[in-house]
């Protein structure tokens, strides 16, 4: 679907829009081309989105891959990976709702799996995703694509494909808004935080 018009920076009372809809669209198109170049084609590619917005981004990336290579089957190559039970903060947040993992019918064995998430922060969510993948099969390779890399890594994880490197302070938060999920125009918004209660879950 169309990403809609870009949001002006002053439209967000609690933050500044650093990427508008057109910026998000361009970033995803560039990432799709980089994925094809790195994989030398779309054969055996599987895109797994990490809920919530990573699932939407994975679908959009797959649609762009299909534009590059019409033989790429979006429905057969896109899934979602819930990492709730693999997180290392369950003791502190035991009420997390368990989501759904949906793999393509062909599975992930010997595939090149591209994990897709919206914001890369501490890296702990991706570490959990790698643990989850290990219980589901043995991919030939695992890559990571994220729309925003905001830094502050706590584990040695680095993305292969990045839409925007966005240096931030620990006291700031980054919000990704997507039309399909949030019912507003696509945007990436950065905002300050006065206390820990506003902390976005560690990514």
């Amino acid at each position: 679907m169309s990403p809609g018009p870009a949001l002006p920076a002053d439209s967000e009372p609690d933050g500044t829009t650093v990427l508008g809809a057109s910026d998000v669209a361009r970033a995803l198109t560039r990432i799709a081309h980089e994925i094809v170049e790195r994989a030398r084609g779309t054969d055996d590619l599987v895109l797994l989105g990490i809920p919530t917005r990573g699932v939407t981004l994975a679908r959009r990336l797959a649609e762009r891959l299909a534009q590059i290579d019409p033989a790429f089957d979006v429905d057969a190559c896109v899934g979602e990976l819930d990492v709730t039970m693999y997180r290392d903060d369950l003791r502190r947040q035991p009420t997390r709702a368990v989501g759904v993992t949906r793999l393509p019918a062909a599975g992930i064995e010997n595939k090149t799996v591209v994990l897709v998430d919206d914001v890369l922060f501490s890296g702990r969510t991706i570490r959990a995703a790698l643990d989850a993948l290990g219980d589901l099969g043995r991919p030939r390779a695992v890559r990571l694509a994220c729309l925003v890399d905001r830094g502050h890594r706590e584990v040695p994880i680095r993305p292969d494909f990045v839409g925007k490197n966005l240096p931030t302070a620990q006291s700031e938060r980054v919000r990704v808004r997507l039309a399909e999920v949030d019912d507003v125009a696509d945007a990436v918004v950065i905002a300050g935080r006065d206390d820990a209660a506003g902390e976005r879950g560690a990514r």
Side-chain angles (χ1 to χ4, degrees), residues 140-178:
R140 180 172 64 247
V142 180
R143 312 292 184 208
L144 173 60
C146 61
L147 182 60
V148 175
D149 182 357
R150 61 166 295 186
H152 304 291
R153 213 77 75 242
E154 296 173 4
V155 292
I157 287 174
R158 186 174 68 177
D160 299 278
F161 314 106
V162 182
K164 175 73 172 179
N165 286 292
L166 186 62
T168 61
Q170 286 278 4
S171 60
E172 293 172 323
R173 62 184 181 270
V174 175
R175 296 175 177 171
V176 173
R177 298 182 175 177
L178 301 176

PDB file of all heavy atoms in Angstrom, residues 140-178:
ATOM      1  N   ARG A 140      21.261 -21.871   6.318  1.00  0.00           N
ATOM      2  CA  ARG A 140      22.597 -21.799   5.754  1.00  0.00           C
ATOM      3  C   ARG A 140      23.309 -20.542   6.230  1.00  0.00           C
ATOM      4  O   ARG A 140      24.521 -20.547   6.481  1.00  0.00           O
ATOM      5  CB  ARG A 140      22.531 -21.811   4.226  1.00  0.00           C
ATOM      6  CG  ARG A 140      23.924 -21.744   3.571  1.00  0.00           C
ATOM      7  CD  ARG A 140      23.872 -21.940   2.062  1.00  0.00           C
ATOM      8  NE  ARG A 140      23.128 -20.876   1.402  1.00  0.00           N
ATOM      9  CZ  ARG A 140      21.961 -21.043   0.787  1.00  0.00           C
ATOM     10  NH1 ARG A 140      21.404 -22.238   0.732  1.00  0.00           N
ATOM     11  NH2 ARG A 140      21.343 -20.027   0.208  1.00  0.00           N
ATOM     12  N   ALA A 141      22.542 -19.450   6.351  1.00  0.00           N
ATOM     13  CA  ALA A 141      23.092 -18.189   6.833  1.00  0.00           C
ATOM     14  C   ALA A 141      21.954 -17.374   7.439  1.00  0.00           C
ATOM     15  O   ALA A 141      20.789 -17.540   7.067  1.00  0.00           O
ATOM     16  CB  ALA A 141      23.754 -17.405   5.699  1.00  0.00           C
ATOM     17  N   VAL A 142      22.307 -16.506   8.371  1.00  0.00           N
ATOM     18  CA  VAL A 142      21.325 -15.612   8.982  1.00  0.00           C
ATOM     19  C   VAL A 142      21.832 -14.188   8.842  1.00  0.00           C
ATOM     20  O   VAL A 142      22.977 -13.885   9.210  1.00  0.00           O
ATOM     21  CB  VAL A 142      21.098 -15.940  10.475  1.00  0.00           C
ATOM     22  CG1 VAL A 142      20.055 -14.984  11.066  1.00  0.00           C
ATOM     23  CG2 VAL A 142      20.652 -17.385  10.650  1.00  0.00           C
ATOM     24  N   ARG A 143      20.992 -13.318   8.301  1.00  0.00           N
ATOM     25  CA  ARG A 143      21.312 -11.903   8.161  1.00  0.00           C
ATOM     26  C   ARG A 143      20.314 -11.093   8.982  1.00  0.00           C
ATOM     27  O   ARG A 143      19.262 -11.579   9.369  1.00  0.00           O
ATOM     28  CB  ARG A 143      21.239 -11.458   6.699  1.00  0.00           C
ATOM     29  CG  ARG A 143      21.958 -12.358   5.709  1.00  0.00           C
ATOM     30  CD  ARG A 143      23.448 -12.326   5.889  1.00  0.00           C
ATOM     31  NE  ARG A 143      24.133 -13.129   4.879  1.00  0.00           N
ATOM     32  CZ  ARG A 143      25.309 -13.715   5.076  1.00  0.00           C
ATOM     33  NH1 ARG A 143      25.925 -13.588   6.227  1.00  0.00           N
ATOM     34  NH2 ARG A 143      25.873 -14.425   4.113  1.00  0.00           N
ATOM     35  N   LEU A 144      20.674  -9.844   9.210  1.00  0.00           N
ATOM     36  CA  LEU A 144      19.803  -8.962   9.995  1.00  0.00           C
ATOM     37  C   LEU A 144      19.563  -7.662   9.244  1.00  0.00           C
ATOM     38  O   LEU A 144      20.506  -6.994   8.823  1.00  0.00           O
ATOM     39  CB  LEU A 144      20.440  -8.664  11.357  1.00  0.00           C
ATOM     40  CG  LEU A 144      19.733  -7.618  12.223  1.00  0.00           C
ATOM     41  CD1 LEU A 144      18.299  -8.048  12.542  1.00  0.00           C
ATOM     42  CD2 LEU A 144      20.524  -7.373  13.506  1.00  0.00           C
ATOM     43  N   ALA A 145      18.287  -7.316   9.083  1.00  0.00           N
ATOM     44  CA  ALA A 145      17.894  -6.045   8.479  1.00  0.00           C
ATOM     45  C   ALA A 145      17.060  -5.261   9.477  1.00  0.00           C
ATOM     46  O   ALA A 145      16.143  -5.811  10.097  1.00  0.00           O
ATOM     47  CB  ALA A 145      17.087  -6.274   7.197  1.00  0.00           C
ATOM     48  N   CYS A 146      17.389  -4.000   9.659  1.00  0.00           N
ATOM     49  CA  CYS A 146      16.584  -3.172  10.548  1.00  0.00           C
ATOM     50  C   CYS A 146      16.404  -1.794   9.918  1.00  0.00           C
ATOM     51  O   CYS A 146      17.272  -1.311   9.189  1.00  0.00           O
ATOM     52  CB  CYS A 146      17.213  -3.057  11.936  1.00  0.00           C
ATOM     53  SG  CYS A 146      18.854  -2.314  11.961  1.00  0.00           S
ATOM     54  N   LEU A 147      15.272  -1.199  10.200  1.00  0.00           N
ATOM     55  CA  LEU A 147      14.998   0.121   9.646  1.00  0.00           C
ATOM     56  C   LEU A 147      15.878   1.176  10.307  1.00  0.00           C
ATOM     57  O   LEU A 147      16.406   2.068   9.647  1.00  0.00           O
ATOM     58  CB  LEU A 147      13.517   0.472   9.827  1.00  0.00           C
ATOM     59  CG  LEU A 147      13.074   1.817   9.244  1.00  0.00           C
ATOM     60  CD1 LEU A 147      13.311   1.866   7.738  1.00  0.00           C
ATOM     61  CD2 LEU A 147      11.604   2.068   9.562  1.00  0.00           C
ATOM     62  N   VAL A 148      16.055   1.060  11.633  1.00  0.00           N
ATOM     63  CA  VAL A 148      16.837   2.039  12.383  1.00  0.00           C
ATOM     64  C   VAL A 148      17.813   1.325  13.309  1.00  0.00           C
ATOM     65  O   VAL A 148      17.431   0.405  14.029  1.00  0.00           O
ATOM     66  CB  VAL A 148      15.926   2.958  13.223  1.00  0.00           C
ATOM     67  CG1 VAL A 148      16.766   3.889  14.100  1.00  0.00           C
ATOM     68  CG2 VAL A 148      14.995   3.766  12.332  1.00  0.00           C
ATOM     69  N   ASP A 149      19.063   1.762  13.277  1.00  0.00           N
ATOM     70  CA  ASP A 149      20.055   1.312  14.257  1.00  0.00           C
ATOM     71  C   ASP A 149      20.385   2.514  15.125  1.00  0.00           C
ATOM     72  O   ASP A 149      20.980   3.487  14.669  1.00  0.00           O
ATOM     73  CB  ASP A 149      21.311   0.802  13.551  1.00  0.00           C
ATOM     74  CG  ASP A 149      22.356   0.268  14.537  1.00  0.00           C
ATOM     75  OD1 ASP A 149      22.131   0.351  15.759  1.00  0.00           O
ATOM     76  OD2 ASP A 149      23.400  -0.219  14.070  1.00  0.00           O
ATOM     77  N   ARG A 150      19.979   2.436  16.400  1.00  0.00           N
ATOM     78  CA  ARG A 150      20.165   3.585  17.287  1.00  0.00           C
ATOM     79  C   ARG A 150      21.366   3.430  18.212  1.00  0.00           C
ATOM     80  O   ARG A 150      21.627   4.283  19.063  1.00  0.00           O
ATOM     81  CB  ARG A 150      18.912   3.836  18.112  1.00  0.00           C
ATOM     82  CG  ARG A 150      18.486   2.703  19.022  1.00  0.00           C
ATOM     83  CD  ARG A 150      17.451   3.162  20.033  1.00  0.00           C
ATOM     84  NE  ARG A 150      18.022   4.150  20.947  1.00  0.00           N
ATOM     85  CZ  ARG A 150      17.351   4.629  22.007  1.00  0.00           C
ATOM     86  NH1 ARG A 150      16.117   4.231  22.254  1.00  0.00           N
ATOM     87  NH2 ARG A 150      17.926   5.510  22.803  1.00  0.00           N
ATOM     88  N   GLY A 151      22.115   2.337  18.080  1.00  0.00           N
ATOM     89  CA  GLY A 151      23.307   2.167  18.892  1.00  0.00           C
ATOM     90  C   GLY A 151      23.008   1.620  20.275  1.00  0.00           C
ATOM     91  O   GLY A 151      21.928   1.082  20.529  1.00  0.00           O
ATOM     92  N   HIS A 152      23.978   1.737  21.177  1.00  0.00           N
ATOM     93  CA  HIS A 152      23.868   1.286  22.565  1.00  0.00           C
ATOM     94  C   HIS A 152      23.787  -0.226  22.685  1.00  0.00           C
ATOM     95  O   HIS A 152      23.030  -0.759  23.504  1.00  0.00           O
ATOM     96  CB  HIS A 152      22.653   1.925  23.255  1.00  0.00           C
ATOM     97  CG  HIS A 152      22.664   3.422  23.220  1.00  0.00           C
ATOM     98  ND1 HIS A 152      23.574   4.187  23.924  1.00  0.00           N
ATOM     99  CD2 HIS A 152      21.899   4.302  22.521  1.00  0.00           C
ATOM    100  CE1 HIS A 152      23.354   5.464  23.672  1.00  0.00           C
ATOM    101  NE2 HIS A 152      22.351   5.566  22.822  1.00  0.00           N
ATOM    102  N   ARG A 153      24.583  -0.923  21.902  1.00  0.00           N
ATOM    103  CA  ARG A 153      24.555  -2.381  21.935  1.00  0.00           C
ATOM    104  C   ARG A 153      25.068  -2.934  23.268  1.00  0.00           C
ATOM    105  O   ARG A 153      26.030  -2.427  23.836  1.00  0.00           O
ATOM    106  CB  ARG A 153      25.400  -2.939  20.785  1.00  0.00           C
ATOM    107  CG  ARG A 153      24.867  -4.223  20.232  1.00  0.00           C
ATOM    108  CD  ARG A 153      23.652  -4.007  19.317  1.00  0.00           C
ATOM    109  NE  ARG A 153      24.073  -3.475  18.038  1.00  0.00           N
ATOM    110  CZ  ARG A 153      23.686  -2.274  17.589  1.00  0.00           C
ATOM    111  NH1 ARG A 153      22.881  -1.520  18.300  1.00  0.00           N
ATOM    112  NH2 ARG A 153      24.089  -1.851  16.414  1.00  0.00           N
ATOM    113  N   GLU A 154      24.414  -3.969  23.754  1.00  0.00           N
ATOM    114  CA  GLU A 154      24.830  -4.658  24.971  1.00  0.00           C
ATOM    115  C   GLU A 154      25.361  -6.055  24.681  1.00  0.00           C
ATOM    116  O   GLU A 154      25.890  -6.717  25.579  1.00  0.00           O
ATOM    117  CB  GLU A 154      23.652  -4.736  25.955  1.00  0.00           C
ATOM    118  CG  GLU A 154      23.195  -3.361  26.439  1.00  0.00           C
ATOM    119  CD  GLU A 154      21.929  -3.419  27.269  1.00  0.00           C
ATOM    120  OE1 GLU A 154      21.442  -4.548  27.527  1.00  0.00           O
ATOM    121  OE2 GLU A 154      21.432  -2.351  27.656  1.00  0.00           O
ATOM    122  N   VAL A 155      25.197  -6.506  23.461  1.00  0.00           N
ATOM    123  CA  VAL A 155      25.727  -7.794  23.015  1.00  0.00           C
ATOM    124  C   VAL A 155      26.360  -7.572  21.644  1.00  0.00           C
ATOM    125  O   VAL A 155      26.000  -6.635  20.924  1.00  0.00           O
ATOM    126  CB  VAL A 155      24.631  -8.884  22.948  1.00  0.00           C
ATOM    127  CG1 VAL A 155      24.134  -9.247  24.335  1.00  0.00           C
ATOM    128  CG2 VAL A 155      23.465  -8.434  22.079  1.00  0.00           C
ATOM    129  N   PRO A 156      27.320  -8.417  21.250  1.00  0.00           N
ATOM    130  CA  PRO A 156      28.052  -8.183  19.993  1.00  0.00           C
ATOM    131  C   PRO A 156      27.246  -8.580  18.762  1.00  0.00           C
ATOM    132  O   PRO A 156      27.494  -9.601  18.122  1.00  0.00           O
ATOM    133  CB  PRO A 156      29.303  -9.046  20.161  1.00  0.00           C
ATOM    134  CG  PRO A 156      28.870 -10.168  21.053  1.00  0.00           C
ATOM    135  CD  PRO A 156      27.888  -9.555  22.012  1.00  0.00           C
ATOM    136  N   ILE A 157      26.276  -7.747  18.423  1.00  0.00           N
ATOM    137  CA  ILE A 157      25.416  -7.989  17.257  1.00  0.00           C
ATOM    138  C   ILE A 157      25.433  -6.747  16.389  1.00  0.00           C
ATOM    139  O   ILE A 157      25.313  -5.621  16.883  1.00  0.00           O
ATOM    140  CB  ILE A 157      23.979  -8.332  17.698  1.00  0.00           C
ATOM    141  CG1 ILE A 157      23.937  -9.747  18.293  1.00  0.00           C
ATOM    142  CG2 ILE A 157      22.993  -8.203  16.535  1.00  0.00           C
ATOM    143  CD1 ILE A 157      22.613 -10.136  18.888  1.00  0.00           C
ATOM    144  N   ARG A 158      25.577  -6.961  15.079  1.00  0.00           N
ATOM    145  CA  ARG A 158      25.612  -5.853  14.137  1.00  0.00           C
ATOM    146  C   ARG A 158      24.707  -6.175  12.956  1.00  0.00           C
ATOM    147  O   ARG A 158      24.720  -7.304  12.452  1.00  0.00           O
ATOM    148  CB  ARG A 158      27.037  -5.602  13.655  1.00  0.00           C
ATOM    149  CG  ARG A 158      27.179  -4.371  12.769  1.00  0.00           C
ATOM    150  CD  ARG A 158      28.628  -4.092  12.441  1.00  0.00           C
ATOM    151  NE  ARG A 158      29.191  -5.126  11.572  1.00  0.00           N
ATOM    152  CZ  ARG A 158      30.430  -5.086  11.087  1.00  0.00           C
ATOM    153  NH1 ARG A 158      31.238  -4.107  11.420  1.00  0.00           N
ATOM    154  NH2 ARG A 158      30.852  -6.043  10.305  1.00  0.00           N
ATOM    155  N   PRO A 159      23.911  -5.209  12.485  1.00  0.00           N
ATOM    156  CA  PRO A 159      23.026  -5.475  11.348  1.00  0.00           C
ATOM    157  C   PRO A 159      23.785  -5.554  10.033  1.00  0.00           C
ATOM    158  O   PRO A 159      24.822  -4.910   9.864  1.00  0.00           O
ATOM    159  CB  PRO A 159      22.071  -4.278  11.361  1.00  0.00           C
ATOM    160  CG  PRO A 159      22.887  -3.183  11.960  1.00  0.00           C
ATOM    161  CD  PRO A 159      23.763  -3.841  12.998  1.00  0.00           C
ATOM    162  N   ASP A 160      23.265  -6.338   9.106  1.00  0.00           N
ATOM    163  CA  ASP A 160      23.827  -6.416   7.760  1.00  0.00           C
ATOM    164  C   ASP A 160      23.242  -5.347   6.853  1.00  0.00           C
ATOM    165  O   ASP A 160      23.907  -4.877   5.924  1.00  0.00           O
ATOM    166  CB  ASP A 160      23.544  -7.799   7.166  1.00  0.00           C
ATOM    167  CG  ASP A 160      24.162  -8.914   7.978  1.00  0.00           C
ATOM    168  OD1 ASP A 160      25.363  -9.176   7.805  1.00  0.00           O
ATOM    169  OD2 ASP A 160      23.440  -9.511   8.810  1.00  0.00           O
ATOM    170  N   PHE A 161      21.980  -4.991   7.112  1.00  0.00           N
ATOM    171  CA  PHE A 161      21.276  -4.022   6.270  1.00  0.00           C
ATOM    172  C   PHE A 161      20.566  -3.025   7.179  1.00  0.00           C
ATOM    173  O   PHE A 161      19.791  -3.426   8.046  1.00  0.00           O
ATOM    174  CB  PHE A 161      20.259  -4.728   5.368  1.00  0.00           C
ATOM    175  CG  PHE A 161      20.802  -5.959   4.693  1.00  0.00           C
ATOM    176  CD1 PHE A 161      20.418  -7.219   5.125  1.00  0.00           C
ATOM    177  CD2 PHE A 161      21.704  -5.874   3.639  1.00  0.00           C
ATOM    178  CE1 PHE A 161      20.917  -8.370   4.526  1.00  0.00           C
ATOM    179  CE2 PHE A 161      22.215  -7.009   3.036  1.00  0.00           C
ATOM    180  CZ  PHE A 161      21.816  -8.257   3.477  1.00  0.00           C
ATOM    181  N   VAL A 162      20.824  -1.738   6.977  1.00  0.00           N
ATOM    182  CA  VAL A 162      20.280  -0.693   7.842  1.00  0.00           C
ATOM    183  C   VAL A 162      19.653   0.408   7.004  1.00  0.00           C
ATOM    184  O   VAL A 162      20.255   0.889   6.039  1.00  0.00           O
ATOM    185  CB  VAL A 162      21.385  -0.075   8.735  1.00  0.00           C
ATOM    186  CG1 VAL A 162      20.787   0.983   9.663  1.00  0.00           C
ATOM    187  CG2 VAL A 162      22.093  -1.145   9.539  1.00  0.00           C
ATOM    188  N   GLY A 163      18.449   0.797   7.381  1.00  0.00           N
ATOM    189  CA  GLY A 163      17.817   1.915   6.702  1.00  0.00           C
ATOM    190  C   GLY A 163      18.407   3.241   7.128  1.00  0.00           C
ATOM    191  O   GLY A 163      18.668   4.114   6.303  1.00  0.00           O
ATOM    192  N   LYS A 164      18.644   3.396   8.448  1.00  0.00           N
ATOM    193  CA  LYS A 164      19.151   4.657   8.972  1.00  0.00           C
ATOM    194  C   LYS A 164      19.933   4.410  10.256  1.00  0.00           C
ATOM    195  O   LYS A 164      19.414   3.804  11.197  1.00  0.00           O
ATOM    196  CB  LYS A 164      17.980   5.610   9.262  1.00  0.00           C
ATOM    197  CG  LYS A 164      18.354   6.923   9.938  1.00  0.00           C
ATOM    198  CD  LYS A 164      19.048   7.868   8.982  1.00  0.00           C
ATOM    199  CE  LYS A 164      19.245   9.249   9.619  1.00  0.00           C
ATOM    200  NZ  LYS A 164      19.957  10.177   8.704  1.00  0.00           N
ATOM    201  N   ASN A 165      21.184   4.848  10.293  1.00  0.00           N
ATOM    202  CA  ASN A 165      21.939   4.881  11.536  1.00  0.00           C
ATOM    203  C   ASN A 165      21.564   6.163  12.261  1.00  0.00           C
ATOM    204  O   ASN A 165      21.740   7.262  11.725  1.00  0.00           O
ATOM    205  CB  ASN A 165      23.444   4.844  11.258  1.00  0.00           C
ATOM    206  CG  ASN A 165      23.906   3.470  10.826  1.00  0.00           C
ATOM    207  OD1 ASN A 165      23.892   2.521  11.603  1.00  0.00           O
ATOM    208  ND2 ASN A 165      24.310   3.349   9.570  1.00  0.00           N
ATOM    209  N   LEU A 166      21.055   6.014  13.472  1.00  0.00           N
ATOM    210  CA  LEU A 166      20.520   7.164  14.199  1.00  0.00           C
ATOM    211  C   LEU A 166      21.139   7.212  15.595  1.00  0.00           C
ATOM    212  O   LEU A 166      20.617   6.598  16.536  1.00  0.00           O
ATOM    213  CB  LEU A 166      18.995   7.053  14.286  1.00  0.00           C
ATOM    214  CG  LEU A 166      18.243   8.220  14.894  1.00  0.00           C
ATOM    215  CD1 LEU A 166      18.459   9.484  14.059  1.00  0.00           C
ATOM    216  CD2 LEU A 166      16.747   7.904  14.985  1.00  0.00           C
ATOM    217  N   PRO A 167      22.258   7.915  15.748  1.00  0.00           N
ATOM    218  CA  PRO A 167      22.875   8.029  17.074  1.00  0.00           C
ATOM    219  C   PRO A 167      21.897   8.655  18.065  1.00  0.00           C
ATOM    220  O   PRO A 167      21.261   9.677  17.761  1.00  0.00           O
ATOM    221  CB  PRO A 167      24.081   8.933  16.829  1.00  0.00           C
ATOM    222  CG  PRO A 167      24.371   8.804  15.367  1.00  0.00           C
ATOM    223  CD  PRO A 167      23.033   8.634  14.715  1.00  0.00           C
ATOM    224  N   THR A 168      21.758   8.049  19.225  1.00  0.00           N
ATOM    225  CA  THR A 168      20.829   8.548  20.233  1.00  0.00           C
ATOM    226  C   THR A 168      21.469   8.502  21.605  1.00  0.00           C
ATOM    227  O   THR A 168      22.450   7.798  21.827  1.00  0.00           O
ATOM    228  CB  THR A 168      19.547   7.688  20.280  1.00  0.00           C
ATOM    229  OG1 THR A 168      19.905   6.337  20.625  1.00  0.00           O
ATOM    230  CG2 THR A 168      18.814   7.700  18.948  1.00  0.00           C
ATOM    231  N   ALA A 169      20.869   9.226  22.520  1.00  0.00           N
ATOM    232  CA  ALA A 169      21.234   9.130  23.928  1.00  0.00           C
ATOM    233  C   ALA A 169      20.366   8.058  24.572  1.00  0.00           C
ATOM    234  O   ALA A 169      19.263   7.753  24.102  1.00  0.00           O
ATOM    235  CB  ALA A 169      21.019  10.472  24.615  1.00  0.00           C
ATOM    236  N   GLN A 170      20.863   7.501  25.660  1.00  0.00           N
ATOM    237  CA  GLN A 170      20.076   6.496  26.379  1.00  0.00           C
ATOM    238  C   GLN A 170      18.740   7.072  26.839  1.00  0.00           C
ATOM    239  O   GLN A 170      17.755   6.356  26.950  1.00  0.00           O
ATOM    240  CB  GLN A 170      20.858   5.988  27.596  1.00  0.00           C
ATOM    241  CG  GLN A 170      22.009   5.065  27.261  1.00  0.00           C
ATOM    242  CD  GLN A 170      21.555   3.628  27.035  1.00  0.00           C
ATOM    243  OE1 GLN A 170      20.367   3.328  27.051  1.00  0.00           O
ATOM    244  NE2 GLN A 170      22.523   2.749  26.830  1.00  0.00           N
ATOM    245  N   SER A 171      18.716   8.378  27.104  1.00  0.00           N
ATOM    246  CA  SER A 171      17.504   9.017  27.617  1.00  0.00           C
ATOM    247  C   SER A 171      16.482   9.319  26.524  1.00  0.00           C
ATOM    248  O   SER A 171      15.400   9.821  26.811  1.00  0.00           O
ATOM    249  CB  SER A 171      17.872  10.321  28.332  1.00  0.00           C
ATOM    250  OG  SER A 171      18.517  11.207  27.442  1.00  0.00           O
ATOM    251  N   GLU A 172      16.814   9.013  25.284  1.00  0.00           N
ATOM    252  CA  GLU A 172      15.884   9.236  24.182  1.00  0.00           C
ATOM    253  C   GLU A 172      15.214   7.930  23.785  1.00  0.00           C
ATOM    254  O   GLU A 172      15.720   6.846  24.089  1.00  0.00           O
ATOM    255  CB  GLU A 172      16.627   9.828  22.978  1.00  0.00           C
ATOM    256  CG  GLU A 172      17.158  11.225  23.226  1.00  0.00           C
ATOM    257  CD  GLU A 172      18.049  11.704  22.106  1.00  0.00           C
ATOM    258  OE1 GLU A 172      18.804  10.881  21.549  1.00  0.00           O
ATOM    259  OE2 GLU A 172      18.008  12.909  21.798  1.00  0.00           O
ATOM    260  N   ARG A 173      14.091   8.033  23.110  1.00  0.00           N
ATOM    261  CA  ARG A 173      13.421   6.842  22.594  1.00  0.00           C
ATOM    262  C   ARG A 173      13.117   7.045  21.115  1.00  0.00           C
ATOM    263  O   ARG A 173      12.930   8.165  20.649  1.00  0.00           O
ATOM    264  CB  ARG A 173      12.148   6.526  23.385  1.00  0.00           C
ATOM    265  CG  ARG A 173      11.079   7.599  23.333  1.00  0.00           C
ATOM    266  CD  ARG A 173       9.910   7.221  24.236  1.00  0.00           C
ATOM    267  NE  ARG A 173       8.852   8.211  24.197  1.00  0.00           N
ATOM    268  CZ  ARG A 173       8.785   9.252  25.012  1.00  0.00           C
ATOM    269  NH1 ARG A 173       9.723   9.455  25.904  1.00  0.00           N
ATOM    270  NH2 ARG A 173       7.773  10.103  24.919  1.00  0.00           N
ATOM    271  N   VAL A 174      13.076   5.947  20.417  1.00  0.00           N
ATOM    272  CA  VAL A 174      12.801   5.967  18.981  1.00  0.00           C
ATOM    273  C   VAL A 174      11.509   5.202  18.728  1.00  0.00           C
ATOM    274  O   VAL A 174      11.367   4.061  19.164  1.00  0.00           O
ATOM    275  CB  VAL A 174      13.963   5.335  18.184  1.00  0.00           C
ATOM    276  CG1 VAL A 174      13.608   5.252  16.703  1.00  0.00           C
ATOM    277  CG2 VAL A 174      15.246   6.129  18.386  1.00  0.00           C
ATOM    278  N   ARG A 175      10.598   5.842  18.046  1.00  0.00           N
ATOM    279  CA  ARG A 175       9.317   5.210  17.711  1.00  0.00           C
ATOM    280  C   ARG A 175       9.204   5.072  16.198  1.00  0.00           C
ATOM    281  O   ARG A 175       9.367   6.052  15.465  1.00  0.00           O
ATOM    282  CB  ARG A 175       8.146   6.053  18.228  1.00  0.00           C
ATOM    283  CG  ARG A 175       8.069   6.180  19.746  1.00  0.00           C
ATOM    284  CD  ARG A 175       6.956   7.131  20.138  1.00  0.00           C
ATOM    285  NE  ARG A 175       6.809   7.224  21.583  1.00  0.00           N
ATOM    286  CZ  ARG A 175       6.032   8.113  22.195  1.00  0.00           C
ATOM    287  NH1 ARG A 175       5.349   8.987  21.466  1.00  0.00           N
ATOM    288  NH2 ARG A 175       5.948   8.141  23.503  1.00  0.00           N
ATOM    289  N   VAL A 176       8.914   3.871  15.753  1.00  0.00           N
ATOM    290  CA  VAL A 176       8.626   3.639  14.336  1.00  0.00           C
ATOM    291  C   VAL A 176       7.125   3.485  14.191  1.00  0.00           C
ATOM    292  O   VAL A 176       6.501   2.683  14.908  1.00  0.00           O
ATOM    293  CB  VAL A 176       9.347   2.382  13.821  1.00  0.00           C
ATOM    294  CG1 VAL A 176       8.894   2.050  12.396  1.00  0.00           C
ATOM    295  CG2 VAL A 176      10.856   2.587  13.859  1.00  0.00           C
ATOM    296  N   ARG A 177       6.553   4.250  13.300  1.00  0.00           N
ATOM    297  CA  ARG A 177       5.109   4.183  13.060  1.00  0.00           C
ATOM    298  C   ARG A 177       4.878   3.777  11.613  1.00  0.00           C
ATOM    299  O   ARG A 177       5.445   4.383  10.698  1.00  0.00           O
ATOM    300  CB  ARG A 177       4.455   5.524  13.375  1.00  0.00           C
ATOM    301  CG  ARG A 177       4.617   5.902  14.839  1.00  0.00           C
ATOM    302  CD  ARG A 177       3.948   7.189  15.213  1.00  0.00           C
ATOM    303  NE  ARG A 177       4.055   7.429  16.649  1.00  0.00           N
ATOM    304  CZ  ARG A 177       3.621   8.507  17.269  1.00  0.00           C
ATOM    305  NH1 ARG A 177       3.035   9.466  16.573  1.00  0.00           N
ATOM    306  NH2 ARG A 177       3.755   8.648  18.568  1.00  0.00           N
ATOM    307  N   LEU A 178       4.062   2.747  11.453  1.00  0.00           N
ATOM    308  CA  LEU A 178       3.778   2.216  10.122  1.00  0.00           C
ATOM    309  C   LEU A 178       2.276   2.248   9.881  1.00  0.00           C
ATOM    310  O   LEU A 178       1.484   1.952  10.780  1.00  0.00           O
ATOM    311  CB  LEU A 178       4.304   0.789   9.995  1.00  0.00           C
ATOM    312  CG  LEU A 178       5.814   0.603  10.211  1.00  0.00           C
ATOM    313  CD1 LEU A 178       6.182  -0.867  10.146  1.00  0.00           C
ATOM    314  CD2 LEU A 178       6.612   1.408   9.181  1.00  0.00           C
TER     315      LEU A 178
END
